[in-house]
Amino acid sequence: MTTKTPAAGVEQFFHIHQMIETGRPTERAILIGILYPGQDEKEAEDFLGELAFLTETAGAEPVKRFIQKLDFPNPRTFLGSGKIEEIALFVRENNVDIAIFDDELSPSQLRNIEKVLGCRILDRTNLILDIFAHRARTSHARTQVELAQYQYLLPRLTGLWTHLERQRGGIGLRGPGETEIETDRRIIRDKIALLKTQLKKIDIQMATRRKSRGKMVRVALVGYTNVGKSTIMNLLSKSDVFAENKLFATLDTTVRKVVIGNLPFLLSDTVGFIRKLPHDLVESFKSTLDEVRESDLLIHVVDVSHPNFEEQIKVVDVTLHEIGSSEKAMIIVFNKIDVFSYTVKDEDDLTPLLKENYSLSDLKKSWMASDKHHKSVFISATTKENVEELRNLLYEEVKKIHVKRYPYNNFLFDSATDPDFTA
Ligand SMILES: Nc1nc2c(ncn2[C@@H]2O[C@H](COP(=O)(O)OP(=O)(O)OP(=O)(O)O)[C@@H](O)[C@H]2O)c(=O)[nH]1
Ligand SMILES: [Mg+2]
């Protein structure tokens, strides 16, 4: 049998929220992670908390979490076989639709686990890809996500077939043979090649567009997902970029001209980062991330109210390093100070001050002492507290770059030659 498109289940394999869109009840999900040596329990809990947020963003309902202490994932079943049996029982007794794992599963782990649990299995990568697919608006973003999805899918086709077989009930229906899987593989390889060619064309168009913007100083908002980048973009540029309390609200890059005082520059808002961002996704979002790569100054936005904000800073730093942008000029904006909270210690408690006992001013002091390379501000984009301070800092930093670029231009941009100039 030859088909022109890959198996019907390929599409379905990714979209968990299509259930909601078709009016069926929300899927019930369980979340599964490992507590690795050297990791404390709270951290593992926080990681699963993030997985829960991802799950909700994708449209499913997390009903229970399972964490097992292991030195490394079991190569066959990710968790130990006893634990997997325990989870299988829970799945059967509680009408669980999907089991979501906090790490990327190998194709064979996926198959083995699916056999025991008897429900749909997603891993972290798959879940993130799913959210990206749902959020992609432009053909550029859609092409990038589709490429990453097919690359993820290719080695996992056999697992997919097992899943489909069970769905058909398996009675009276012969399972698909290797021929079908081979046919699908070939179709998907062709599809990947086609998407890559399309992306190349889009990349060239985007590069031309970026060049045509001239030599204005370029500033890019970067940071972990959901920290408030788009909200700050809206605040600084008086534009209306989509911002909401979900992960990956922004996938496409938006660029706006911003003027502070008499100094104009371009500000871009782009996709947020997350820990364990799938490698294929980073690869295929290369041209979206070019905006960051080609900028003169980065505004690294941090959600200081998040219990794991330091870990998030590290993830962003590593991702910036991966895309070759770690050496850029950068300022750090600690956002959401309006919802920052800490545990006050009793005066007679003489145990050392822990991270959760740091007040905002303790935090400021310790941050400034530990990072002398980057200037920072503490703001709330919601209440607009200290936003003037951020504007002033931006003015200073952009001016430095501007002066270098236009040494003979009386150091500030000449408004007479700029039709868009709005001081
Ligand atoms: N309390 C509070 N909430 C904020 C602040 N800034 C942004 N938010 C909220 O945080 C959520 C995420 O904001 P976004 O601006 O969408 O964040 P983002 O970094 O662009 O997120 P992604 O595009 O998903 O990566 C929204 O619900 C905002 O209203 C702030 O200073 N204080
Ligand atoms: Mg955003």
Side-chain angles (χ1 to χ4, degrees):
M1 185 186 80
T2 42
T3 42
K4 281 205 203 70
T5 48
V10 168
E11 288 299 309
Q12 187 198 325
F13 187 63
F14 289 113
H15 301 281
I16 69 172
H17 41 238
Q18 79 186 12
M19 287 279 193
I20 312 165
E21 281 163 6
T22 53
R24 279 188 273 172
T26 312
E27 287 189 296
R28 291 161 58 79
I30 51 168
L31 311 178
I32 299 161
I34 288 179
L35 177 65
Y36 291 105
Q39 207 183 18
D40 65 48
E41 268 169 49
K42 189 173 169 311
E43 191 180 39
E45 260 309 317
D46 287 341
F47 284 168
L48 278 201
E50 181 175 89
L51 192 69
F53 198 1
L54 281 166
T55 304
E56 285 162 8
T57 299
E61 181 199 356
V63 292
K64 188 163 169 74
R65 302 175 180 187
F66 293 90
I67 297 183
Q68 190 179 29
K69 221 173 176 168
L70 283 178
D71 287 347
F72 45 85
N74 181 314
R76 284 198 69 255
T77 48
F78 189 72
L79 299 185
S81 51
K83 191 75 180 176
I84 284 284
E85 286 300 337
E86 177 196 325
I87 297 174
L89 188 66
F90 184 89
V91 167
R92 281 196 294 277
E93 288 176 352
N94 295 278
N95 293 323
V96 171
D97 302 293
I98 337 166
I100 304 181
F101 289 74
D102 196 33
D103 283 285
E104 188 167 317
L105 298 173
S106 72
S108 73
Q109 279 174 331
L110 193 76
R111 269 195 308 275
N112 295 333
I113 298 168
E114 196 177 46
K115 265 185 217 141
V116 188
L117 294 193
C119 66
R120 287 182 65 202
I121 312 293
L122 285 185
D123 63 17
R124 189 183 168 85
T125 305
N126 202 339
L127 184 63
I128 294 176
L129 286 175
D130 183 81
I131 295 170
F132 269 61
H134 192 55
R135 301 227 154 213
R137 290 283 168 267
T138 61
S139 75
H140 183 211
R142 272 201 294 270
T143 315
Q144 296 181 112
V145 179
E146 219 182 316
L147 176 61
Q149 284 187 314
Y150 279 121
Q151 277 169 337
Y152 172 87
L153 179 62
L154 193 57
R156 293 173 173 80
L157 271 183
T158 340
L160 170 65
W161 278 112
T162 330
H163 162 69
L164 287 178
E165 259 175 279
R166 188 174 3 259
Q167 240 191 7
R168 287 189 206 139
I171 303 161
L173 281 167
R174 235 169 21 90
E178 277 302 309
T179 340
E180 277 98 337
I181 295 172
E182 216 19 78
T183 313
D184 265 4
R185 267 198 198 118
R186 210 176 46 236
I187 295 166
I188 287 175
R189 272 195 211 103
D190 289 349
K191 188 95 188 155
I192 289 176
L194 183 72
L195 287 168
K196 281 188 174 163
T197 321
Q198 283 173 350
L199 267 185
K200 259 199 198 117
K201 267 193 215 146
I202 302 178
D203 285 356
I204 294 169
Q205 285 167 6
M206 305 268 286
T208 320
R209 206 180 303 166
R210 282 197 301 270
K211 264 197 203 122
S212 71
R213 285 197 214 125
K215 281 193 167 174
M216 235 190 262
V217 174
R218 283 159 61 178
V219 182
L221 287 155
V222 294
Y224 210 77
T225 179
N226 208 45
V227 293
K229 298 179 295 299
S230 300
T231 312
I232 293 175
M233 171 85 169
N234 289 340
L235 206 63
L236 292 174
S237 70
K238 303 193 178 64
S239 60
D240 201 9
V241 176
F242 181 61
E244 71 166 340
N245 192 22
K246 282 199 173 167
L247 302 178
F248 303 114
T250 311
L251 275 200
D252 291 297
T253 306
T254 323
V255 184
R256 293 274 185 278
K257 185 176 157 190
V258 175
V259 185
I260 299 181
N262 52 355
L263 194 61
F265 59 92
L266 293 175
L267 181 65
S268 69
D269 174 29
T270 190
V271 56
F273 301 155
I274 195 164
R275 62 180 259 280
K276 299 188 196 161
L277 195 63
H279 182 74
D280 284 342
L281 207 53
V282 180
E283 263 304 298
S284 39
F285 268 70
K286 217 180 101 350
S287 56
T288 297
L289 294 170
D290 277 345
E291 202 63 57
V292 173
R293 217 176 278 129
E294 293 175 13
S295 62
D296 305 294
L297 173 69
L298 302 179
I299 305 177
H300 180 167
V301 184
V302 176
D303 174 358
V304 74
S305 74
H306 196 286
N308 270 347
F309 79 88
E310 283 172 303
E311 166 77 21
Q312 297 189 343
I313 293 177
K314 279 187 205 138
V315 170
V316 173
D317 285 341
V318 169
T319 315
L320 286 175
H321 184 76
E322 272 170 18
I323 62 169
S325 298
S326 52
E327 300 297 314
K328 277 189 193 297
M330 179 163 88
I331 62 174
I332 304 180
V333 176
F334 290 93
N335 188 33
K336 306 200 189 181
I337 56 169
D338 58 308
V339 278
F340 174 82
S341 63
Y342 68 104
T343 320
V344 184
K345 257 173 50 136
D346 283 341
E347 267 180 34
D348 51 0
D349 182 352
L350 296 179
T351 52
L353 213 59
L354 296 172
K355 283 272 150 61
E356 57 261 34
N357 305 126
Y358 275 28
S359 69
L360 210 50
S361 70
D362 289 333
L363 253 175
K364 271 188 210 176
K365 266 186 246 151
S366 84
W367 183 263
M368 284 196 233
S370 70
D371 185 350
K372 296 202 167 52
H373 299 298
H374 303 111
K375 296 203 170 125
S376 54
V377 272
F378 285 68
I379 70 158
S380 160
T382 307
T383 65
K384 305 201 172 47
E385 198 178 335
N386 293 346
V387 168
E388 263 324 292
E389 200 184 318
L390 167 62
R391 277 185 212 276
N392 293 340
L393 179 58
L394 261 177
Y395 181 86
E396 288 305 318
E397 296 303 304
V398 173
K399 193 169 90 180
K400 274 187 210 160
I401 301 164
H402 195 94
V403 172
K404 256 193 221 151
R405 191 162 300 170
Y406 303 104
Y408 308 111
N409 195 12
N410 229 356
F411 91 64
L412 286 185
F413 196 81
D414 184 1
S415 57
T417 57
D418 177 20
D420 295 330
F421 188 80
T422 50

